[in-house]
Amino acid sequence: LELAMTAEAAQLLSSAPAIGGFKLVKMVFDRRDLEEVRMLASKITQAEPAVALLATREPGAARLVFARSQPLEFNMGQLLAEACALLGGRGGGKPDVAQGGGPDVNNLERALEQAAQQIGSL
């Protein structure tokens, strides 16, 4: 699993847009194990300067994992709290990694897009 995750992280990074010196990886998975999504976010942010906005969607629940590489200064906990508000849920964490979710699956893409736009404009 470790190798597969590293390969998947590299693949996502290679197709991710670069914004001012770092990559922005934004992805929604269907029914993916949250632990895997967390591991993937970690691999992405360890590989090179990056922000990972990842989510997994299940019937009636959306879960988010936001992470960033160490040199970057975005507050993932704050971004995630705002995204979770759109999902009718909550979440939080540290400035470098945060997770949460909510029941409003229909707003999942919008929540990620809003977080991506905030990162792009900071």
Side-chain angles (χ1 to χ4, degrees), residues 2 6 9 13 38-52 67-71:
E2 187 87 12
T6 303
L13 280 164
R38 253 207 318 266
M39 191 189 300
L40 186 57
S42 172
K43 295 278 185 205
I44 288 168
T45 56
Q46 286 168 9
E48 61 181 276
V51 169
R68 65 154 166 83
S69 301
Q70 271 318 324

Side-chain angles (χ1 to χ4, degrees), residues 62-80:
R63 310 217 178 285
L64 306 175
V65 177
F66 288 5
R68 65 154 166 83
S69 301
Q70 271 318 324
L72 303 177
E73 302 208 339
F74 307 110
N75 187 331
M76 295 292 111
Q78 188 182 339
L79 273 175
L80 185 104

Side-chain angles (χ1 to χ4, degrees), residues 19 22 24-26 50-54 64-69 72-87 89-101 107-108 110-122:
I19 307 174
F22 67 93
L24 177 62
V25 177
K26 185 174 64 126
V51 169
L53 305 175
L54 305 182
L64 306 175
V65 177
F66 288 5
R68 65 154 166 83
S69 301
L72 303 177
E73 302 208 339
F74 307 110
N75 187 331
M76 295 292 111
Q78 188 182 339
L79 273 175
L80 185 104
E82 291 170 24
C84 287
L86 278 176
L87 303 174
R90 26 183 279 209
K94 300 179 295 220
D96 60 333
V97 63
Q99 73 177 57
N107 274 334
L108 185 53
R110 202 172 110 220
L112 285 191
E113 190 50 47
Q114 177 180 295
Q117 284 173 354
Q118 283 179 278
I119 283 173
S121 65
L122 291 174

Side-chain angles (χ1 to χ4, degrees), residues 3-13 27 29 32 36 40 44:
L3 278 173
M5 286 284 164
T6 303
E8 186 176 358
Q11 189 180 6
L12 287 169
L13 280 164
M27 179 64 80
F29 301 100
R32 182 129 187 212
E36 272 187 30
L40 186 57
I44 288 168

